[in-house]
Amino acid sequence: MRCYAEKYCKKNKNHCSESCSGYVILKALYKLSRIPERYCYNIPLVPERSDLSAFEELKNFMETVEDRVSAGDGLYIWSEGVGNGKTSWACKIMSYYFRKIAFKTGIENEGLYIYLPSFLDDLRMSYGEDTDPDFQEVLSMIKNCKLLILDDVGAERSSEWVNERLLSIINSRIMSGLSTIYTSNLSLEDLENTVGKRISSRILGSTKEIHLVGKDKRGGVK
Ligand SMILES: Nc1ncnc2c1ncn2[C@@H]1O[C@H](COP(=O)(O)OP(=O)(O)O)[C@@H](O)[C@H]1O
Ligand SMILES: [Mg+2]
């Protein structure tokens, strides 16, 4: 059986079973987080020279993630290009957070991953209707979880309605002192042109900006 702790657990791998409390807690945390399966396990990320200092900052954030989450600090990870580790880093940081808190607190409202373009589409489709309990859970977690990933900000189909919803989510998280990691293909200036200043300035004020410039590495590092 495969465990999310496979890369760091010190227990004898021959004894992995559903009766291991670590396995059970992590499985629950990951399930609630909705991180896509391929980002749940360790992805070794190799920096290009141009991304060395950005990787150092990301690593530093990751290694102090419990404090960062307590302080409500966030990240804005962006690059013009695709496939250079934005989503991987965001999920890696959340995984590290789960590793740190697994035995310390409950599993409710810890971490949630949202692919923003499809989430906002779903929200629009279901608006004003009785949504299913699964979606209700997402809506509750998005406003309350301690660490949220909003993946691909600025790639959603923009409209006034969408921007108002997004603003409400971001604003309520900032007011509650909750951490959010954003990824985007847009610089903060370009984001302002896409989603408006009210959103972009709140993101700017609540995150550290990390700019990646490496090439597309989908399909392997060349
Ligand atoms: N720095 C890197 N080193 C090694 N592989 C990488 C790196 N960045 C991305 N990859 C590979 O590319 C895939 C896509 O990366 P992803 O984080 O989804 O890119 P994006 O920046 O578009 O979000 C990853 O699953 C990983 O296999
Ligand atoms: Mg991505």
PDB file of all heavy atoms in Angstrom, residues 39 86-88 115 151-152 183 218, ligand 2:
ATOM      1  N   TYR A  39      -0.099  15.456  -7.299  1.00  0.00           N
ATOM      2  CA  TYR A  39       0.671  16.435  -6.523  1.00  0.00           C
ATOM      3  C   TYR A  39       0.759  16.048  -5.036  1.00  0.00           C
ATOM      4  O   TYR A  39       1.297  16.810  -4.242  1.00  0.00           O
ATOM      5  CB  TYR A  39       0.049  17.831  -6.641  1.00  0.00           C
ATOM      6  CG  TYR A  39       0.158  18.439  -8.022  1.00  0.00           C
ATOM      7  CD1 TYR A  39      -0.956  18.554  -8.847  1.00  0.00           C
ATOM      8  CD2 TYR A  39       1.374  18.915  -8.503  1.00  0.00           C
ATOM      9  CE1 TYR A  39      -0.874  19.124 -10.107  1.00  0.00           C
ATOM     10  CE2 TYR A  39       1.483  19.479  -9.760  1.00  0.00           C
ATOM     11  CZ  TYR A  39       0.349  19.583 -10.563  1.00  0.00           C
ATOM     12  OH  TYR A  39       0.448  20.152 -11.809  1.00  0.00           O
ATOM     13  N   LYS A  86       4.989  25.834 -10.318  1.00  0.00           N
ATOM     14  CA  LYS A  86       4.142  26.660  -9.450  1.00  0.00           C
ATOM     15  C   LYS A  86       3.175  25.794  -8.622  1.00  0.00           C
ATOM     16  O   LYS A  86       3.149  25.876  -7.398  1.00  0.00           O
ATOM     17  CB  LYS A  86       3.336  27.678 -10.287  1.00  0.00           C
ATOM     18  CG  LYS A  86       4.224  28.687 -11.009  1.00  0.00           C
ATOM     19  CD  LYS A  86       3.415  29.662 -11.830  1.00  0.00           C
ATOM     20  CE  LYS A  86       2.685  29.037 -13.006  1.00  0.00           C
ATOM     21  NZ  LYS A  86       3.572  28.366 -13.989  1.00  0.00           N
ATOM     22  N   THR A  87       2.393  24.985  -9.323  1.00  0.00           N
ATOM     23  CA  THR A  87       1.427  24.137  -8.613  1.00  0.00           C
ATOM     24  C   THR A  87       2.158  23.113  -7.753  1.00  0.00           C
ATOM     25  O   THR A  87       1.755  22.833  -6.621  1.00  0.00           O
ATOM     26  CB  THR A  87       0.498  23.432  -9.627  1.00  0.00           C
ATOM     27  OG1 THR A  87      -0.105  24.431 -10.453  1.00  0.00           O
ATOM     28  CG2 THR A  87      -0.590  22.642  -8.930  1.00  0.00           C
ATOM     29  N   SER A  88       3.253  22.575  -8.288  1.00  0.00           N
ATOM     30  CA  SER A  88       4.020  21.578  -7.520  1.00  0.00           C
ATOM     31  C   SER A  88       4.508  22.176  -6.207  1.00  0.00           C
ATOM     32  O   SER A  88       4.393  21.549  -5.148  1.00  0.00           O
ATOM     33  CB  SER A  88       5.228  21.085  -8.307  1.00  0.00           C
ATOM     34  OG  SER A  88       4.839  20.570  -9.545  1.00  0.00           O
ATOM     35  N   TYR A 115      -8.674  24.597  -7.793  1.00  0.00           N
ATOM     36  CA  TYR A 115      -8.296  25.060  -9.121  1.00  0.00           C
ATOM     37  C   TYR A 115      -9.312  26.145  -9.484  1.00  0.00           C
ATOM     38  O   TYR A 115     -10.479  25.862  -9.759  1.00  0.00           O
ATOM     39  CB  TYR A 115      -8.294  23.904 -10.132  1.00  0.00           C
ATOM     40  CG  TYR A 115      -7.851  24.395 -11.486  1.00  0.00           C
ATOM     41  CD1 TYR A 115      -6.542  24.840 -11.669  1.00  0.00           C
ATOM     42  CD2 TYR A 115      -8.741  24.470 -12.545  1.00  0.00           C
ATOM     43  CE1 TYR A 115      -6.128  25.353 -12.893  1.00  0.00           C
ATOM     44  CE2 TYR A 115      -8.337  24.977 -13.773  1.00  0.00           C
ATOM     45  CZ  TYR A 115      -7.032  25.409 -13.935  1.00  0.00           C
ATOM     46  OH  TYR A 115      -6.620  25.936 -15.139  1.00  0.00           O
ATOM     47  N   ASP A 151      -5.191  27.966  -7.182  1.00  0.00           N
ATOM     48  CA  ASP A 151      -4.323  27.663  -8.316  1.00  0.00           C
ATOM     49  C   ASP A 151      -4.835  28.357  -9.579  1.00  0.00           C
ATOM     50  O   ASP A 151      -6.035  28.320  -9.869  1.00  0.00           O
ATOM     51  CB  ASP A 151      -4.319  26.133  -8.515  1.00  0.00           C
ATOM     52  CG  ASP A 151      -3.103  25.654  -9.282  1.00  0.00           C
ATOM     53  OD1 ASP A 151      -2.149  26.433  -9.464  1.00  0.00           O
ATOM     54  OD2 ASP A 151      -3.102  24.470  -9.693  1.00  0.00           O
ATOM     55  N   ASP A 152      -3.907  28.973 -10.307  1.00  0.00           N
ATOM     56  CA  ASP A 152      -4.211  29.610 -11.600  1.00  0.00           C
ATOM     57  C   ASP A 152      -5.148  30.809 -11.509  1.00  0.00           C
ATOM     58  O   ASP A 152      -6.119  30.925 -12.269  1.00  0.00           O
ATOM     59  CB  ASP A 152      -4.777  28.570 -12.580  1.00  0.00           C
ATOM     60  CG  ASP A 152      -3.720  28.186 -13.608  1.00  0.00           C
ATOM     61  OD1 ASP A 152      -2.775  28.968 -13.812  1.00  0.00           O
ATOM     62  OD2 ASP A 152      -3.829  27.099 -14.209  1.00  0.00           O
ATOM     63  N   THR A 183      -1.222  30.740  -7.218  1.00  0.00           N
ATOM     64  CA  THR A 183      -0.313  30.580  -8.353  1.00  0.00           C
ATOM     65  C   THR A 183      -0.966  31.283  -9.536  1.00  0.00           C
ATOM     66  O   THR A 183      -2.202  31.401  -9.605  1.00  0.00           O
ATOM     67  CB  THR A 183      -0.054  29.110  -8.752  1.00  0.00           C
ATOM     68  OG1 THR A 183      -1.151  28.650  -9.523  1.00  0.00           O
ATOM     69  CG2 THR A 183       0.164  28.207  -7.551  1.00  0.00           C
ATOM     70  N   ARG A 218       7.439  19.894 -17.900  1.00  0.00           N
ATOM     71  CA  ARG A 218       6.509  18.761 -18.036  1.00  0.00           C
ATOM     72  C   ARG A 218       7.165  17.765 -18.961  1.00  0.00           C
ATOM     73  O   ARG A 218       7.692  18.137 -19.997  1.00  0.00           O
ATOM     74  CB  ARG A 218       5.173  19.209 -18.606  1.00  0.00           C
ATOM     75  CG  ARG A 218       4.379  19.935 -17.557  1.00  0.00           C
ATOM     76  CD  ARG A 218       2.943  20.152 -17.921  1.00  0.00           C
ATOM     77  NE  ARG A 218       2.336  20.885 -16.824  1.00  0.00           N
ATOM     78  CZ  ARG A 218       1.647  22.006 -16.945  1.00  0.00           C
ATOM     79  NH1 ARG A 218       1.430  22.502 -18.122  1.00  0.00           N
ATOM     80  NH2 ARG A 218       1.153  22.591 -15.898  1.00  0.00           N
TER      81      ARG A 218
HETATM   82 MG    MG B   2      -0.097  24.951 -12.434  1.00  0.00          MG
END
